[in-house]
Structures are given as C-alpha cells and as structure tokens.
Amino acid sequence: MSRIRQSLESARSSDALRHMARRLAQGDRVVTLSGLAGATKGLAIIHAILADKRPAAVLTSTNLEAEQLAQDIRFFLELFASAPLNVIHLPSFEVDPYRGLSPHPEIAAARAQAIWQILQGQPCVLVASVRAAAARLHGTQRFLEHCLELKTGDDCSPEEVRRHLHESGYIEDDPVTEPGEFSLRGGILDLFSPNLENPARLEFYGDRLESLRLFDPESQRSVSTRQSIEIVPMREYSVSSAMLRRWAEEVPSHWSEPFQKHLEEEIGLARQGEPFPAFEFFLPAIDPPEKTLFDYICGFRVITVDREVMEGALDKHHAELYERYVDRIEAHKPVLAPDRIYITLDELRAGLDRFPRLELEELGIDKPGESQLRLASQITRKYHGNLHELVEDLKKFRDAGERVVFLFSNLGRAERINEILREYEIPAQLCREEEKEERAADGGAVLLGVGQLHAGFYLPAANLRVLTGQD
C-alpha cells in the first residue's frame, strides 16, 4: 500500500491543507475550509487532527453522513497516523419519541458504548449527526456511576451485580452469547459487556468474587483470566426501580385527569419497578437531563460539516417533532415537549461557541471578517457497472497526466478490475497490504488496492483522482 499512501500523501501537501494545519497549530479559534467534495472531508479532518494533536468531535447533518465520514476517517488514519486513534460513531435514536417506543436496544447500546469511550480520556475522534448530538444527557458522573468495575477479591453479592445489570439494560438469558446478556446460576454469573471481546464468567464464593475469566461462547472454554473488568451500561439512561416508583407516584401531578387514563399501563409497570416502552421520553418529567454532549467533550475541537445545512436539519427536526407533540396533546396523550428531550437550535449554537472549531463547507460562502481557505475538489462520476465508459475515462485520465487510485472494499474485487484493465491494455498495479516492497510501476499506472471510502474525489492541484468500487 506504500504507493497508494504516497499518492494520497501528495493531496495532504496542498496549500489549503497546509495553511489550515498552520492556523490550527498557532491556536486560531475558528478556521473555515471550503470546496470539499466526496471523501476530501475525511482527508481534511484527519489532516487537522494530526496537526492539532487534540481529540475532535465531528458534527454532520444526517446519521448516514456521519457513518460514511467515520468510515473515511478510519481509512485515512490507518494510512497516515503513527499511533492508533479510536474513531467513535454516536448514532441518533432513530425513533419518534411520540410513538411510545424506546430506542432499539442495539442503538441504545451503541450510544452508551460511544459515551463510555469518550470518557476514557484516550485520543479519539467522535463522529455524530446533529440529531445524535442534540439529545439531552445526564451528567458524566451519573453515567460513570453505572459503569461497574469488578476485581477479584471484591466483596459484592451476585444478586447486587444482577440488580445493577437489570438497571443498566442487560437481559437475562442462558447461555450468554451476545453483548448485553447475562445469566446467574448459583454462584456463577456470566455476562457480556459490549467493551469486552468475549463474555466474562464471574465465580463467587458467598459474597466474594473469587475468579474472573473470559470464555468462548461457542465452546464455553476459558480464553483468558482477568484481575478486573468494567461493565458498561447498555443504555445511556440507566434507571433504578426506586426512580421508576418515584415517577409512578409523582407523574399524575404533571398531567390533568384526561391525560392520566393513557398512562395506566406505564404507571402500573413503574410501580413494580419495571421499565416500560418509551420510559426514556417520560422520565424527564421528574428527572430532567440537564447536560448535553458538549459537557462530555471538554478539551475537544469541534469540526462542523456544512454548518448551515446541519443547523437547518436540527431546526426541521424540532419543527416536525413539535407538530407531532401538538397532535398528541390535542388527543390528550401525555408527552413532553421536544425541547425537554433535545436541545434547541439556539442551544446548539451556544454550545458550538464554547469550543475551538474547524468549519468544513462544500460551498464557500464568504463571511464578514473571516479569512476562508479553499481546497478545490470535485466529486467523481458514478459508473453504475458500465465498464466500457470506465475504461474510456481511465484512458482520458492517463492522457491528461492524472494519477489514478482505485480503491475497493476487498482484494477480490481489486484483482478482478486489475485483470479487466490489463485486458484493455491499461497499465495497472495491484497494491497489496502485505507486500513490503512493491515493484516499480509505470508512472501512469492505475493503482488498485483495498480501502473503505464512501466516495471518490478529484484534486486538480495534486492532479490526483481517487475512485472507489462504489463509483
């Protein structure tokens, strides 16, 4: 992959990226870079992170864009970072708070895992859509209180651990095979925390933790012993039986009688200390989350992607939620207003103003008193499987003296395209990751390799064109 790395390194030497890095290093509070298309946003972000030497939080307009950008950042970091850097994707709830449903367990667990990773104090890049970042949160200390660390020799009863797991969103199931499951059989407690590569088996003698080991869920055999483990919650909002009972007692005073008849089932479950569907969107009535994601990312640089579009996405989301909120209230359905669940646009702007920022824009819009940098880039054409047109374009690119890098999701696809290009007598070189010394290639050869980018790009200044298997 060294030739691909060299080709892409030339893109990082562009004037715009060098000037951006210099301004970040000298402490400029807000830097704006425009002209970004395709995967050049990910390229600019990793260049900023490596120059800035601080963790970063990247905010986008949609969850899909956040997922794609996280993928691009991982690829570029693997190429250019000298030390591993964790890329964390924080998903949005993807559920309407007014439909009577809780977030899907996998999404709830992914959010909790992301929040836990942020709080570990390790170098990282957080990537989130504005909707994911706008959800109100309880404070960091409260979240950490539900992260349970256990060590061999600790005095704790298996029933105490069992209660903690229930409150943290774990499901009791035997055998334990998936993250978020646990089982208790006498003095043996199996659990699978999402931060572990394998489930853990805890053996108690009375109320003392005697041994702790990880095991293979298929064979049930031990794979390693541990002196300690940390159990991460399966949801960001861990709730105790006491809190649910308190809600059942206090909530009738929050809504008049016509609304209360729609809460009978929820109150009945809460009085038994059991969580109910959509409890995350009801409990803030008595237990309001008073913090935001911005309180979790102290010391980060915030990177916004197309800020105006991002702000418009949050504003539209609030407008849609408010419309549904009014419909429910008019039908005497007890629900909380959108701003009790998500921060408002004004709060988002105030939160952003607290941080040093890099603002990335696809289209450059001059702002008063601001010197804007521009990286001229273009998106690449989508061929949709039309090999004839791809081959014709590759010939034109070579005739124009462009360097072409073609990235695929797996080696098999790269090998297949390499064979096809040779059939059409287009010089190409397959770059394998395991090959330390790559043979010298024709200066105009198309370089093919494995890499996960969501889209290609063209940088005229570097005379570099990057295509992907998705093009």
Side-chain angles (χ1 to χ4, degrees), residues 52-57 294 296-302 354-356:
D52 205 19
K53 302 187 187 310
R54 74 170 84 192
F294 296 118
Y296 280 68
I297 58 172
C298 297
F300 282 54
R301 179 177 292 276
V302 172
R354 290 164 47 187
F355 291 84

Side-chain angles (χ1 to χ4, degrees), residues 303-438:
I303 301 175
T304 60
V305 179
D306 294 317
R307 178 168 174 172
E308 188 173 332
V309 178
M310 182 186 76
E311 291 183 352
L314 181 61
D315 203 30
K316 180 182 178 182
H317 183 230
H318 262 284
E320 292 171 347
L321 286 179
Y322 188 76
E323 195 173 304
R324 292 196 284 275
Y325 164 73
V326 171
D327 288 343
R328 301 302 189 273
I329 292 296
E330 288 178 348
H332 293 119
K333 300 288 180 66
V335 290
L336 298 180
D339 60 6
R340 302 281 297 277
I341 302 167
Y342 292 97
I343 63 173
T344 63
L345 180 56
D346 286 343
E347 288 176 296
L348 172 71
R349 289 170 174 164
L352 292 174
D353 287 344
R354 290 164 47 187
F355 291 84
R357 298 190 308 282
L358 171 62
E359 300 193 344
L360 303 180
E361 306 287 343
E362 188 165 341
L363 303 175
I365 302 174
D366 292 330
K367 300 177 183 178
E370 185 177 301
S371 175
Q372 191 174 109
L373 302 171
R374 179 172 179 79
L375 177 68
S377 65
Q378 300 171 15
I379 59 174
T380 52
R381 175 185 173 184
K382 300 288 185 183
Y383 293 95
H384 303 292
N386 191 325
L387 284 173
H388 176 74
E389 292 187 7
L390 170 63
V391 168
E392 290 302 310
D393 279 354
L394 287 174
K395 291 177 180 177
K396 293 176 185 176
F397 300 153
R398 292 190 69 247
D399 291 344
E402 293 181 14
R403 288 171 298 152
V404 180
V405 174
F406 213 153
L407 297 172
F408 298 86
S409 59
N410 59 69
L411 184 60
R413 293 191 66 193
E415 290 174 334
R416 176 59 183 147
I417 295 297
N418 186 45
E419 293 171 1
I420 291 173
L421 296 185
R422 291 187 180 282
E423 289 173 8
Y424 282 92
E425 300 182 342
I426 295 178
Q429 179 178 342
L430 184 62
C431 303
R432 302 173 188 269
E433 187 174 359
E434 66 273 12
E435 291 177 355
K436 302 298 183 183
E437 297 293 332
E438 292 172 359

